Amino acid sequence: MTLGRYQVKDKGEWKLDRHDPDDNSLCSDKKKAAERLRELKADLAEQQQLLYASNEYGLLLVLQAIDAGGKDGTIRHVMSGVNPQGCHVSSFKAPSAVEANHDYLWRIHHSVAARGRFVIFNRSHYEDVLVVRVHPEFLPPWAARRKNLWQERFEQINNFEKHLVENNIIIVKCFLHISKDEQRQRFERRLKDPARNWKFAAADVNERRHWDQYMEAFEDAFRHTSTDWAPWYIIPADRKWYRDLVIAELLVKTLKELKLSFPKGDAEELEKIVIPD
Amino acid sequence: MTLGRYQVKDKGEWKLDRHDPDDNSLCSDKKKAAERLRELKADLAEQQQLLYASNEYGLLLVLQAIDAGGKDGTIRHVMSGVNPQGCHVSSFKAPSAVEANHDYLWRIHHSVAARGRFVIFNRSHYEDVLVVRVHPEFLPPWAARRKNLWQERFEQINNFEKHLVENNIIIVKCFLHISKDEQRQRFERRLKDPARNWKFAAADVNERRHWDQYMEAFEDAFRHTSTDWAPWYIIPADRKWYRDLVIAELLVKTLKELKLSFPKGDAEELEKIVIPD
């Protein structure tokens, strides 16, 4: 799979509307995609074992999306099958009072993947240049007074991620890209289905009024934070099966490029071991 | 499955050697067990979704065993398939200097399951009445001076667990019971297999010299901490497939007894929601 087409490149000129949320150009056959996903999930489970055993790299998957964009579903469909020992999901909701009194990367840093681990961020530090940008009323006064706040934050984020990558934490950032119409359909389904409407809040629906502002905030954020060390991928996400496939391909490709293997036991050392009676 | 036979009962008189590590009396057919495990894993994934959605109870699985007893394997075989969002494994190794300066339940409490979550303890607070009992040289002087240290700790643990259960955190405690001969065979396999010997340390093998002391410590701990609110189960673990089956049955049974369901959305509230254009 040529995943490069989904990467955010030529940063200054890059536009979100270059990307079609309904794209399925790498695989148009849903049944084939399901088969391939099964293979990829087995590969992912195997690679994660190697990641854990070799203990050299950590893997951090950052998932961002608009409401109903499919973050929870992606985690359930792609990551079930991975050994939960060594895999952890951190969900970042509105910060607590204590968290809000720290810089916005404080709680994030604490949850970053350790070497040997695979951590999934369901939302992330990017909320602080996304929802907070659409709702500047959430900013504390000292931050609201800074003239270049967003530019500063983009640089802070880039430097933070560079630090992580230089310390062997691999970062994969995915935006689940759905159309405005697809969001409506998903909201309607959630309203009707009793197995879904428990997670439904009127507040989510109201955020839809800010759709255009969100898309501008996403676009600006991706332009400024798609770096060589931690590029953004725009995942076509109107079709859930295609979204899952692309993310699974991306994760497996990223891990295989690390050429992980089980560390060799020290042969001399092992030879000396005598198992007591 | 009648799992009651594996529960630690009549505490004062209970003995570990009542339990056969090679027992498979509830299912002697390995192939049938594999089929049943597949069903149970699907049930477990479904129940965990309900646990998460209903957000009423948390589930804490405590796994204890001697080295090579199969804690990691149990987690991989039984828990892969559970959505990692809502499921977390905490492994308790030798405490850090900061942790050791706190009471031994401090780090444990921090990692306990929140409501809605399923947490697996790979080792636990029980290490502080097991390995520390076999190696009293690990005790700080103030603790070594206490005359009734173990009895005090058993009561502290029982009260701590009671507190959790009264706050809707369900506790399932499993001892993976292997024979001394099975441990030898597993050590030998680990020494030979390059995919296993990375996790092999000479120190593990040496602990085998203390086998009898460990078994005494296990026996005494289970006698004193198998409570109505958090009973111990002795899982026959010489056969990995049987061990996995029994633990999966136990987890699914425990969750189904909670009669979890998706919370109902507030119908009136939902009716009022209008999705903006």
Side-chain angles (χ1 to χ4, degrees), chain A residues 49 52-53 72 75-76 79-85 87-89 91 93 117 120 122 180 184 187-188 191 194-195 197-198 200-202 205-206 208-209 262-265 270 273-277, chain B residues 49 52-53 72 75-76 79-85 87-89 91 93 117 120 122 180 184 187-188 191 194-195 197-198 200-202 205-206 208-209 262-265 270 273-277:
Chain A
Q49 278 295 104
Y52 187 82
D72 293 346
I75 295 169
R76 195 167 64 249
M79 263 57 85
S80 296
V82 168
N83 184 351
Q85 178 150 283
C87 177
H88 179 62
V89 181
S91 298
K93 307 194 174 165
R117 306 304 165 119
I120 299 150
N122 184 341
K180 199 175 178 187
R184 163 181 292 281
F187 278 160
E188 283 169 354
L191 274 169
N197 65 27
W198 61 272
F200 202 84
V205 176
N206 286 331
R208 184 173 159 86
R209 296 182 207 282
F262 286 111
K264 285 192 187 122
L270 287 168
I273 290 177
V274 180
I275 301 170
D277 280 334
Chain B
Q49 277 296 101
Y52 187 81
D72 294 345
I75 296 170
R76 194 166 66 249
M79 263 56 86
S80 297
V82 168
N83 184 350
Q85 178 151 283
C87 176
H88 179 61
V89 180
S91 299
K93 307 193 173 164
R117 307 304 164 118
I120 300 149
N122 184 341
K180 198 173 178 188
R184 161 182 293 282
F187 278 159
E188 283 169 355
L191 274 170
N197 65 27
W198 61 272
F200 202 85
V205 177
N206 286 332
R208 185 173 157 85
R209 297 182 205 282
F262 286 111
K264 284 189 190 124
L270 287 167
I273 290 177
V274 180
I275 300 170
D277 280 336

Side-chain angles (χ1 to χ4, degrees), chain B residues 96-271:
Chain B
S96 71
V98 169
E99 288 170 344
N101 274 346
H102 284 271
D103 70 278
Y104 65 97
L105 292 177
W106 180 76
R107 62 173 182 161
I108 302 295
H109 204 158
H110 182 78
S111 294
V112 154
R115 277 180 287 276
R117 307 304 164 118
F118 174 23
V119 167
I120 300 149
F121 278 2
N122 184 341
R123 305 184 186 271
S124 67
H125 41 307
Y126 285 95
E127 292 297 326
D128 286 282
V129 291
L130 295 170
V131 64
V132 177
R133 195 161 184 189
V134 175
H135 292 283
E137 65 272 22
F138 293 162
L139 282 174
W142 68 266
R145 282 195 297 271
R146 295 190 79 80
K147 274 188 204 150
N148 299 311
L149 182 72
W150 310 114
Q151 189 57 43
E152 283 173 357
R153 287 197 170 181
F154 294 147
E155 282 175 34
Q156 290 157 3
I157 289 173
N158 288 342
N159 288 333
F160 171 66
E161 292 180 351
K162 192 165 188 233
H163 162 80
L164 295 179
V165 172
E166 286 173 351
N167 285 276
N168 269 19
I169 309 305
I170 311 295
I171 304 174
V172 175
K173 301 188 294 197
C174 292
F175 174 61
L176 310 182
H177 187 29
I178 61 168
S179 63
K180 198 173 178 188
D181 190 53
E182 178 67 21
Q183 190 195 43
R184 161 182 293 282
Q185 289 175 40
R186 291 188 187 182
F187 278 159
E188 283 169 355
R189 240 173 294 150
R190 282 193 188 177
L191 274 170
K192 276 180 215 151
D193 180 355
R196 293 174 199 262
N197 65 27
W198 61 272
K199 65 185 292 193
F200 202 85
D204 298 344
V205 177
N206 286 332
E207 281 305 285
R208 185 173 157 85
R209 297 182 205 282
H210 304 290
W211 179 276
D212 292 343
Q213 290 155 273
Y214 271 106
M215 292 306 132
E216 278 168 37
F218 280 123
E219 189 169 77
D220 202 43
F222 300 153
R223 264 188 198 155
H224 287 91
T225 61
S226 192
T227 53
D228 291 340
W229 52 90
W232 272 103
Y233 289 86
I234 309 300
I235 310 294
D238 273 2
R239 301 172 209 246
K240 294 174 182 177
W241 59 269
Y242 190 73
R243 167 200 78 195
D244 294 342
L245 178 68
V246 173
I247 290 182
E249 292 277 7
L250 185 58
L251 289 171
V252 169
K253 177 176 166 284
T254 302
L255 285 165
K256 285 197 170 167
E257 280 171 359
L258 300 176
K259 296 189 191 308
L260 302 167
S261 61
F262 286 111
K264 284 189 190 124
D266 180 333
E268 254 181 74
E269 199 62 35
L270 287 167
E271 212 143 286

